[in-house]
Amino acid sequence: MKIRCILLDDEPFALNILEDDLLQFPEVEVLGKFHDPSDVIAFLQVQEVDVLFSDIQMPEVLGTQFVKTLANPPLVVFTTAYNQYAVEGFELNAVDYLVKPIRKERISAALKKIEDRLKLRDLPPQEEVQQYIIVNAEYKKVKIFYDEIIYIEGLKDYVKIYIQEKTYPILTRSNLRGIESRLSEQIFVRIHNSYIVNKQKITGFHHSKVLLSKLELPVGKKYIDNIKALS
């Protein structure tokens, strides 16, 4: 499966480096490179694109602001030299957030996330994966969409479900194994006896920890292979 990409950056040198880095991966096809966001809009009107790699710090408009203006955006990966926009990027449901200079292993991880998203998108309706779970919390049944979940923490007979735009987790009576059995393996990964994380929210990882924006979670020894599979 070819991943059809377009690149947006106001710096020509940065565009060329990113294109060269992406073309090291045979599954990538670069359809176009743009310095001006308005040219991206025109291109998207006539061409199907899987993913937009967009810089954030641009003179006319921030990349995050630009993506908000798109009526039907492709998948988005933000590229930037600045860490402070990571949270805003993931609030826009960006696939990944790559900090310059971008390492090859980070591009590889981003492409794996893109492939996972595209597989979900392309499933025929009869095979469509359920995109939510329903749990008992606060004396009622609560529907939680997968893309809202950042991570889940197990606490013996209870679990805490941490979701976007909430300062406190949803607490439900269950164990982590029971919750795990109800989640999509394409979207979630077990990293520890106490933690399950949403792959799409991971901003970095190695054998001993996973990064979720500014949060670090430990990786249990028996789950190291799960982390290696993300690469």
Side-chain angles (χ1 to χ4, degrees):
M1 177 178 67
K2 282 286 188 180
I3 300 174
R4 296 166 297 183
C5 306
I6 58 174
L7 319 180
L8 172 62
D9 198 309
D10 62 296
E11 297 181 8
F13 182 66
L15 268 181
N16 292 335
I17 289 178
L18 181 57
E19 180 183 36
D20 289 345
D21 289 344
L22 286 170
L23 290 179
Q24 293 183 43
F25 297 87
E27 67 269 32
V28 171
E29 180 180 5
V30 176
L31 301 180
K33 300 183 295 180
F34 304 94
H35 307 299
D36 189 332
S38 62
D39 293 334
V40 171
I41 294 173
F43 189 84
L44 290 174
Q45 290 173 346
V46 298
Q47 179 72 48
E48 281 195 34
V49 173
D50 294 318
V51 58
L52 164 65
F53 285 81
S54 176
D55 187 29
I56 291 182
Q57 281 280 20
M58 294 183 288
E60 299 298 326
V61 63
L62 290 176
T64 48
Q65 294 172 343
F66 170 65
V67 169
K68 290 178 184 178
T69 69
L70 297 176
N72 188 26
L75 299 178
V76 176
V77 174
F78 286 114
T79 62
T80 182
Y82 304 94
N83 282 307
Q84 66 263 35
Y85 298 105
V87 174
E88 184 179 4
F90 283 100
E91 285 175 351
L92 290 170
N93 203 27
V95 177
D96 212 336
Y97 183 99
L98 305 179
V99 179
K100 302 173 184 177
I102 303 169
R103 304 188 312 276
K104 184 175 181 179
E105 58 266 29
R106 284 295 290 115
I107 292 178
S108 178
L111 293 174
K112 178 63 170 62
K113 293 179 187 179
I114 291 166
E115 287 176 345
D116 288 344
R117 292 267 195 111
L118 293 176
K119 286 175 184 175
L120 286 175
R121 182 197 68 182
D122 294 337
L123 285 175
Q126 65 270 24
E127 297 179 23
E128 196 168 303
V129 177
Q130 180 173 297
Q131 293 295 304
Y132 61 86
I133 58 171
I134 296 175
V135 301
N136 294 309
E138 300 177 357
Y139 306 104
K140 61 186 176 184
K141 292 189 180 295
V142 179
K143 184 177 184 179
I144 310 171
F145 287 94
Y146 287 163
D147 61 5
E148 295 179 312
I149 299 172
I150 302 171
Y151 72 100
I152 302 171
E153 180 182 9
L155 301 167
K156 291 188 178 179
D157 295 330
Y158 290 87
V159 296
K160 290 181 177 180
I161 303 174
Y162 294 82
I163 66 176
Q164 292 180 168
E165 299 180 2
K166 273 191 176 289
T167 56
Y168 56 89
I170 292 174
L171 184 67
T172 185
R173 188 174 180 85
S174 179
N175 56 47
L176 205 58
R177 182 176 295 177
I179 290 289
E180 183 180 20
S181 68
R182 298 166 57 195
L183 298 172
S184 167
E185 293 181 0
Q186 292 177 293
I187 299 175
F188 295 91
V189 60
R190 183 80 172 262
I191 65 164
H192 191 275
N193 284 338
S194 299
Y195 298 108
I196 297 169
V197 300
N198 187 331
K199 296 178 185 178
Q200 297 168 359
K201 310 300 182 184
I202 295 174
T203 58
F205 60 88
H206 59 65
H207 67 280
S208 66
K209 65 182 178 182
V210 164
L211 305 180
L212 303 170
S213 188
K214 296 180 181 179
L215 176 69
E216 293 184 2
L217 294 179
V219 174
K221 289 184 179 179
K222 69 179 181 180
Y223 299 101
I224 289 175
D225 287 344
N226 291 354
I227 299 303
K228 289 180 179 177
L230 297 174
S231 301

